[in-house]
Amino acid sequence: MGSPAIVESAVTDPKLVGERRQQIIRAATKLFSEQGYYGTTIQHVAREAGISVGLIYQYFRDKDDVLFLTLKLVLETYEKEIPVALEGVEHPLERLCVALGAYCRVVDRLRDATVLTYRSTKSLRADRRTFIKEGEERTNRLLEACLRACISGGLMRPLNDYLLVYQYVLFSHAWALKGWALRDRYALDDYVEEGIKLLVEPFLTEKGRAAIARIRRRRRRAE
Amino acid sequence: MGSPAIVESAVTDPKLVGERRQQIIRAATKLFSEQGYYGTTIQHVAREAGISVGLIYQYFRDKDDVLFLTLKLVLETYEKEIPVALEGVEHPLERLCVALGAYCRVVDRLRDATVLTYRSTKSLRADRRTFIKEGEERTNRLLEACLRACISGGLMRPLNDYLLVYQYVLFSHAWALKGWALRDRYALDDYVEEGIKLLVEPFLTEKGRAAIARIRRRRRRAE
Amino acid sequence: MGSPAIVESAVTDPKLVGERRQQIIRAATKLFSEQGYYGTTIQHVAREAGISVGLIYQYFRDKDDVLFLTLKLVLETYEKEIPVALEGVEHPLERLCVALGAYCRVVDRLRDATVLTYRSTKSLRADRRTFIKEGEERTNRLLEACLRACISGGLMRPLNDYLLVYQYVLFSHAWALKGWALRDRYALDDYVEEGIKLLVEPFLTEKGRAAIARIRRRRRRAE
Amino acid sequence: MGSPAIVESAVTDPKLVGERRQQIIRAATKLFSEQGYYGTTIQHVAREAGISVGLIYQYFRDKDDVLFLTLKLVLETYEKEIPVALEGVEHPLERLCVALGAYCRVVDRLRDATVLTYRSTKSLRADRRTFIKEGEERTNRLLEACLRACISGGLMRPLNDYLLVYQYVLFSHAWALKGWALRDRYALDDYVEEGIKLLVEPFLTEKGRAAIARIRRRRRRAE
DNA sequence: AATGAATGAGTGTTCATTCAT
DNA sequence: TATGAATGAACACTCATTCAT
């Protein structure tokens, strides 16, 4: 496929390619996040990665390419970590809460990188921008599935699931975007708990409310 | 005061200063919004504004300065238009809904500029960044006042008003930030309506539900 | 016309544009001729021209552009000087000899630049290369006209004028291209004289031979 | 000797040195001819030759070295092929025509490489440039010998043989240099034939004219 | 007050050359 | 001998900023 995701490299050894790219992306993520895409030079990235300028161009076509893979990695992290957190969790309502919590936690871990996502996606070439947005949509659908399971399981009343999912996403991103205001007031876990109160509980059915009480009791015991 | 808001100008005539600045900011807002801060050159801004490059430097210290006033204007627009929309509206619940609608409508009008806010605030010097954030907070407090009035008036049940206001803000901004996904599915008015269903109605008391029904009936008649 | 000859400039004053371009081209011609296109940096050109790097880019799109106008100027000089030399010369045979002599003299004056023509035309973008070649063809046609007048005037016998013109051109260019070997052996005037003996006289008719004798006698007297 | 022709190699086995060098030069000739010296990278040459970059530096000191041997090979080809074509040809006039034809044919075969000669000789270091020019002179002398034999054999009238030889050389090179204009109009054989009419026949004595007629008759019969 | 030509430090990118394996 | 990953100086080009007019 002519996907913009496939970036060729002048280097042949695939193991080395993987390592070097990761090394470069790590440096780029740090610097782009701190100083923005345009505030970071390739020379900076090279120094931070402990390699020469030229080497970056053996693994990336151009600076845009570095940004693209950086953002791609962030999006993929979202997409991967939520399913991991959901493993072994059965009850639909618990799955929804776990998913929201997991999203917030990834965002917390990739705080600066998440902000970078908002700052710099528009700096990408059009086709790559689209690719990144599709990645975001895929993550949204993970949450959507959880939400729909709750509704069809009679735990939540019917509602505009598409938009509510967006509220979940924004709620999670806000932890990075508005972090300066939020982190003063809440620990991450409390933030998630409050989010559930505002964006999940109000929509629960009788059955849903019973279920969430049980889940909470079980959790408290587990601690 | 050494507030970062006060930007000095080499020109003395205050009326001229105001006019010129507005002329430049208008051009800058357009271009920054379309092509980003770094994608826009001062020469572009000058051409768009129909003046010479040198003149910009008579009214602004540097490019950062232009960005600062551009963002400041956006934030001030938010802050001004919501009170205007609220004028003459008495009922607390209606005020809340009107405020949310007004916010969404400003965002719609300043769509690209709102995105610019997210992209470029970090490009500002630290003190100016803070100033911009304070402006955002002031707008939040407008919504907060509406929300609290509903709660203290017994129309909504007690809740985490601070966070819910953030959801209102994010909901409004989303119309610009995620516009590519949302504008395909909703007209602006429907979007606001759905927002109210998700972020206002679930928290209404019995009294609140009765009130909102009345408000809607009145509105429908007014059309 | 979308001719590649029309190179836009960021500067508006046409007089200044003309002056600056000439100033830059003069420096570029010198340096390109001495060190080649790739051996010359824009910084070199700027220093030689006594201006800043950036200024070059106000008058030329890119380095290729500078080369193009440099070569164009050389070709145009050929094209202009030959007619000037021919002014007032009536006799077809004398016109031919004068044209050849004039060509050799321009080449002598633009020796390095002529070599540049051979070295660097291929470095140009395709459309500009074509444009340059057309310029060369136009000069060829000047010689062709002189040659044909001699033939139709019965001064020279019918022959392959197209190819003979090429020999004239090559003969002239050789003064620059093989100058290291030729200038040791001949003064420019003798070189031209020898050229006439090899590339004109052998093709003269009886009438032509009589004419050329008369021309030479007149010239000698004039000296 | 410190001749610039002797390029040292890190590799000792002389047979291998010869093979590798040829392999590299073949690739370099192709690429330099097509894209010019500066348009070709050492990495290109390595890939085209099917070897690694590093290996090139085992057989050549630097890129200039590769160019030098490339050009040297072209000049040597001229120098070798003409004598081969002359083998068994006895008659001085036929030898001259055969030599001219052979020259044109080598140029035709090495068309791009001949152009390269004009483009890139100046890119060489000074001492090597001289060396290349001496190679060209040697080829010239091959033609000179043929021409002089015709004159001293009474087949051609006395003339400036030195310059006429140059015309022969230029005529041959023109097939490459101005090929875009000439190849549309002439097949190679016709081009040579026309060259003889312009640069040989006009200088024939009575005896020469008789001889050439005989030669042509014989050739026609041979076909 | 207004112009816009001029500056030059700074950027992304290339590529000849080296060297550890 | 052979590899090709790694280097970094050097280049074309941009653009915020200045300043003579």
Side-chain angles (χ1 to χ4, degrees):
Chain A
M1 261 259 300
S3 154
I6 281 103
V7 176
E8 264 133 56
S9 159
V11 176
T12 49
D13 177 5
K15 192 166 149 258
L16 187 58
V17 170
E19 278 171 19
R20 284 293 194 209
R21 281 206 176 139
Q22 191 167 2
Q23 181 183 10
I24 294 164
I25 291 290
R26 217 191 336 261
T29 305
K30 177 163 185 278
L31 297 177
F32 287 170
S33 297
E34 281 168 17
Q35 328 181 25
Y37 178 65
Y38 291 101
T40 304
T41 70
I42 287 288
Q43 325 271 343
H44 289 155
V45 176
R47 194 170 316 139
E48 175 73 29
I51 56 171
S52 69
V53 182
L55 200 59
I56 292 184
Y57 287 88
Q58 301 246 21
Y59 295 95
F60 295 89
R61 213 193 325 285
D62 52 22
K63 200 187 171 191
D64 187 277
D65 218 21
V66 179
L67 176 60
F68 174 61
L69 282 205
T70 300
L71 296 179
K72 187 163 166 279
L73 190 72
V74 176
L75 274 287
E76 282 173 0
T77 308
Y78 294 167
E79 210 178 329
K80 265 185 234 148
E81 302 230 340
I82 293 176
V84 168
L86 287 176
E87 256 167 39
V89 181
E90 299 285 333
H91 193 283
L93 203 47
E94 189 164 12
R95 286 178 67 84
L96 180 61
C97 296
V98 164
L100 187 63
Y103 205 164
C104 288
R105 231 160 287 123
V106 207
V107 166
D108 183 54
R109 198 153 56 74
L110 306 179
R111 218 148 50 208
D112 288 341
T114 298
V115 177
L116 181 66
T117 284
Y118 277 79
R119 282 183 81 183
S120 299
T121 302
K122 261 207 163 181
S123 304
L124 285 177
R125 282 172 11 208
D127 59 330
R128 294 177 161 175
R129 197 155 59 233
T130 307
F131 188 86
I132 291 296
K133 283 174 178 169
E134 285 166 8
E136 191 183 324
E137 291 268 340
R138 268 197 304 281
T139 306
N140 292 4
R141 241 155 284 145
L142 293 177
L143 290 171
E144 202 174 56
C146 294
L147 179 56
R148 284 185 175 168
C150 290
I151 297 169
S152 65
L155 298 159
M156 289 174 86
R157 62 171 172 78
L159 45 70
N160 188 331
D161 50 358
Y162 182 81
L163 277 189
L164 188 54
V165 161
Y166 258 112
Q167 290 307 114
Y168 294 159
V169 170
L170 291 168
F171 179 80
S172 306
H173 288 175
W175 184 250
L177 291 171
K178 311 293 180 187
W180 38 280
L182 296 174
R183 278 196 303 281
D184 283 354
R185 293 176 119 93
Y186 299 102
L188 177 57
D189 284 340
D190 300 336
Y191 181 70
V192 176
E193 199 54 45
E194 291 297 315
I196 290 171
K197 281 191 202 150
L198 286 179
L199 299 172
V200 176
E201 291 192 14
F203 308 105
L204 292 178
T205 57
E206 195 60 47
K207 187 177 160 194
R209 269 193 295 276
I212 212 168
R214 243 176 298 130
I215 291 166
R216 286 205 169 120
R217 242 174 289 138
R218 202 177 339 123
R219 267 207 220 158
R220 233 169 284 138
R221 245 176 290 142
E223 276 163 22
Chain B
M1 259 262 299
S3 152
I6 280 100
V7 175
E8 265 132 56
S9 159
V11 177
T12 50
D13 177 0
K15 188 162 153 263
L16 189 56
V17 170
E19 274 171 24
R20 285 295 195 204
R21 279 204 177 142
Q22 191 169 0
Q23 182 184 12
I24 293 164
I25 291 291
R26 215 191 338 263
T29 305
K30 177 162 186 278
L31 297 177
F32 287 168
S33 297
E34 282 167 15
Q35 329 182 25
Y37 177 64
Y38 290 100
T40 304
T41 69
I42 287 289
Q43 353 269 347
H44 286 156
V45 175
R47 195 172 317 140
E48 176 73 29
I51 58 171
S52 71
V53 180
L55 200 58
I56 293 185
Y57 284 86
Q58 303 255 12
Y59 294 97
F60 294 90
R61 209 190 336 283
D62 53 23
K63 199 187 173 190
D64 187 278
D65 220 22
V66 180
L67 176 60
F68 174 62
L69 283 204
T70 300
L71 295 179
K72 188 163 165 280
L73 190 71
V74 176
L75 273 289
E76 283 173 1
T77 308
Y78 293 167
E79 211 179 327
K80 264 186 236 149
E81 302 230 341
I82 293 177
V84 168
L86 286 176
E87 255 165 40
V89 181
E90 298 286 333
H91 193 283
L93 203 49
E94 189 163 13
R95 286 177 68 85
L96 180 61
C97 295
V98 164
L100 187 63
Y103 205 163
C104 289
R105 232 160 285 123
V106 206
V107 167
D108 183 54
R109 199 153 54 74
L110 305 178
R111 218 148 52 207
D112 288 341
T114 298
V115 177
L116 180 67
T117 284
Y118 278 78
R119 283 182 80 183
S120 298
T121 302
K122 261 208 163 182
S123 303
L124 285 177
R125 280 171 15 208
D127 59 331
R128 295 178 160 176
R129 195 153 63 233
T130 307
F131 188 87
I132 291 296
K133 283 172 179 169
E134 285 166 8
E136 192 182 324
E137 290 270 342
R138 267 197 304 281
T139 307
N140 291 3
R141 240 155 286 146
L142 293 178
L143 290 171
E144 203 173 56
C146 295
L147 179 56
R148 283 186 175 166
C150 290
I151 297 169
S152 64
L155 298 160
M156 288 175 84
R157 63 171 170 79
L159 44 71
N160 189 330
D161 50 359
Y162 183 79
L163 279 188
L164 188 54
V165 162
Y166 258 112
Q167 284 306 116
Y168 292 161
V169 170
L170 291 168
F171 179 81
S172 305
H173 290 174
W175 184 250
L177 292 171
K178 313 291 179 187
W180 38 278
L182 296 175
R183 279 196 301 279
D184 284 354
R185 295 176 116 96
Y186 298 102
L188 178 57
D189 286 340
D190 300 337
Y191 181 70
V192 175
E193 199 53 47
E194 292 295 317
I196 290 170
K197 281 190 202 148
L198 287 178
L199 298 173
V200 176
E201 291 192 12
F203 307 106
L204 292 178
T205 57
E206 196 60 47
K207 187 177 160 194
R209 271 195 295 276
I212 212 168
R214 244 177 298 130
I215 291 165
R216 285 204 170 122
R217 241 175 291 137
R218 199 174 347 119
R219 268 207 221 157
R220 233 170 286 138
R221 244 177 291 143
E223 275 162 25
Chain C
M1 259 257 301
S3 155
I6 281 100
V7 176
E8 265 134 57
S9 160
V11 176
T12 49
D13 177 6
K15 190 165 150 261
L16 187 58
V17 170
E19 278 171 18
R20 285 292 194 207
R21 280 207 176 137
Q22 192 167 2
Q23 180 183 12
I24 293 164
I25 291 290
R26 217 192 335 264
T29 306
K30 178 162 184 278
L31 297 178
F32 287 168
S33 297
E34 281 168 16
Q35 328 181 24
Y37 177 64
Y38 292 101
T40 304
T41 69
I42 287 289
Q43 326 271 341
H44 288 155
V45 177
R47 195 170 317 139
E48 176 73 30
I51 57 171
S52 70
V53 181
L55 200 59
I56 293 186
Y57 288 89
Q58 300 246 23
Y59 296 96
F60 296 89
R61 213 191 327 285
D62 51 22
K63 200 186 172 191
D64 187 278
D65 217 22
V66 179
L67 175 60
F68 174 61
L69 281 206
T70 300
L71 295 179
K72 187 163 166 279
L73 190 72
V74 176
L75 274 288
E76 283 174 0
T77 308
Y78 293 167
E79 211 179 329
K80 265 186 234 148
E81 303 231 340
I82 294 177
V84 167
L86 286 176
E87 255 165 41
V89 182
E90 299 285 333
H91 194 284
L93 203 48
E94 190 165 11
R95 287 179 65 84
L96 180 61
C97 296
V98 164
L100 188 63
Y103 205 164
C104 289
R105 231 160 287 123
V106 206
V107 167
D108 182 55
R109 199 154 55 74
L110 306 178
R111 217 148 53 208
D112 289 341
T114 299
V115 178
L116 181 66
T117 284
Y118 276 78
R119 282 183 82 183
S120 299
T121 302
K122 263 206 163 183
S123 303
L124 285 177
R125 280 170 15 205
D127 60 329
R128 296 178 158 175
R129 197 155 60 233
T130 307
F131 187 88
I132 291 296
K133 283 174 177 170
E134 284 166 7
E136 191 181 325
E137 291 269 339
R138 268 196 305 280
T139 307
N140 291 3
R141 240 155 284 146
L142 293 177
L143 290 172
E144 204 173 55
C146 295
L147 179 54
R148 284 185 173 165
C150 291
I151 297 169
S152 63
L155 298 159
M156 288 175 86
R157 62 169 172 79
L159 45 70
N160 188 331
D161 49 358
Y162 183 80
L163 279 188
L164 189 54
V165 161
Y166 259 112
Q167 286 305 118
Y168 293 160
V169 170
L170 291 167
F171 178 81
S172 307
H173 288 175
W175 185 250
L177 291 172
K178 313 291 179 187
W180 39 278
L182 297 173
R183 279 196 303 279
D184 283 355
R185 295 176 116 95
Y186 298 101
L188 177 56
D189 285 341
D190 301 337
Y191 181 71
V192 174
E193 199 53 47
E194 291 296 317
I196 291 171
K197 281 191 201 146
L198 287 178
L199 299 173
V200 177
E201 291 192 14
F203 308 105
L204 292 177
T205 57
E206 196 60 49
K207 185 177 161 196
R209 269 193 295 276
I212 211 169
R214 244 177 297 130
I215 290 166
R216 285 208 169 118
R217 241 174 291 136
R218 200 175 345 121
R219 268 209 221 158
R220 233 169 285 138
R221 244 176 291 144
E223 275 163 23
Chain D
M1 257 261 298
S3 153
I6 281 101
V7 175
E8 266 133 54
S9 158
V11 178
T12 50
D13 177 0
K15 189 163 152 265
L16 189 57
V17 170
E19 275 171 23
R20 285 295 194 205
R21 280 204 176 142
Q22 191 166 359
Q23 181 183 12
I24 293 164
I25 291 293
R26 216 190 339 261
T29 305
K30 178 163 185 279
L31 297 177
F32 287 169
S33 298
E34 283 167 15
Q35 328 182 26
Y37 177 64
Y38 290 100
T40 304
T41 69
I42 287 289
Q43 353 270 344
H44 287 154
V45 176
R47 195 173 316 142
E48 176 74 29
I51 58 171
S52 70
V53 180
L55 201 57
I56 292 184
Y57 284 85
Q58 303 257 8
Y59 295 96
F60 295 89
R61 205 184 346 274
D62 53 23
K63 199 186 173 190
D64 187 277
D65 221 21
V66 180
L67 175 61
F68 174 61
L69 284 203
T70 300
L71 296 179
K72 189 163 166 279
L73 190 73
V74 176
L75 273 289
E76 283 174 359
T77 308
Y78 293 167
E79 210 179 329
K80 264 184 234 149
E81 302 229 341
I82 294 176
V84 168
L86 286 176
E87 256 166 38
V89 182
E90 299 285 334
H91 194 282
L93 203 47
E94 189 165 11
R95 286 179 66 84
L96 180 61
C97 295
V98 164
L100 187 62
Y103 206 165
C104 289
R105 231 160 286 122
V106 207
V107 167
D108 183 54
R109 199 154 55 73
L110 306 178
R111 217 149 51 208
D112 289 339
T114 299
V115 177
L116 180 68
T117 284
Y118 278 78
R119 284 182 79 184
S120 298
T121 301
K122 261 208 162 183
S123 303
L124 285 177
R125 280 169 16 205
D127 59 331
R128 294 179 160 173
R129 196 154 62 233
T130 308
F131 187 88
I132 291 297
K133 283 173 178 169
E134 284 166 7
E136 191 182 325
E137 290 271 341
R138 268 197 304 281
T139 307
N140 290 4
R141 241 156 285 145
L142 294 177
L143 290 171
E144 203 173 54
C146 295
L147 179 55
R148 285 184 172 167
C150 289
I151 297 168
S152 64
L155 298 159
M156 289 175 85
R157 63 171 171 80
L159 43 70
N160 189 330
D161 50 358
Y162 182 79
L163 277 189
L164 188 54
V165 161
Y166 259 112
Q167 289 306 114
Y168 293 160
V169 170
L170 290 168
F171 179 81
S172 305
H173 288 176
W175 185 250
L177 291 172
K178 314 289 180 188
W180 39 278
L182 297 174
R183 279 197 301 281
D184 283 355
R185 294 176 117 95
Y186 299 102
L188 178 58
D189 284 340
D190 300 336
Y191 181 71
V192 176
E193 200 53 48
E194 292 295 317
I196 290 171
K197 282 192 201 146
L198 286 178
L199 299 172
V200 176
E201 291 192 13
F203 308 106
L204 292 177
T205 57
E206 196 59 50
K207 187 176 159 196
R209 272 195 292 276
I212 212 169
R214 243 178 298 128
I215 290 166
R216 285 205 170 121
R217 242 176 289 136
R218 200 174 345 117
R219 269 209 219 155
R220 234 169 283 136
R221 245 177 290 141
E223 275 161 23

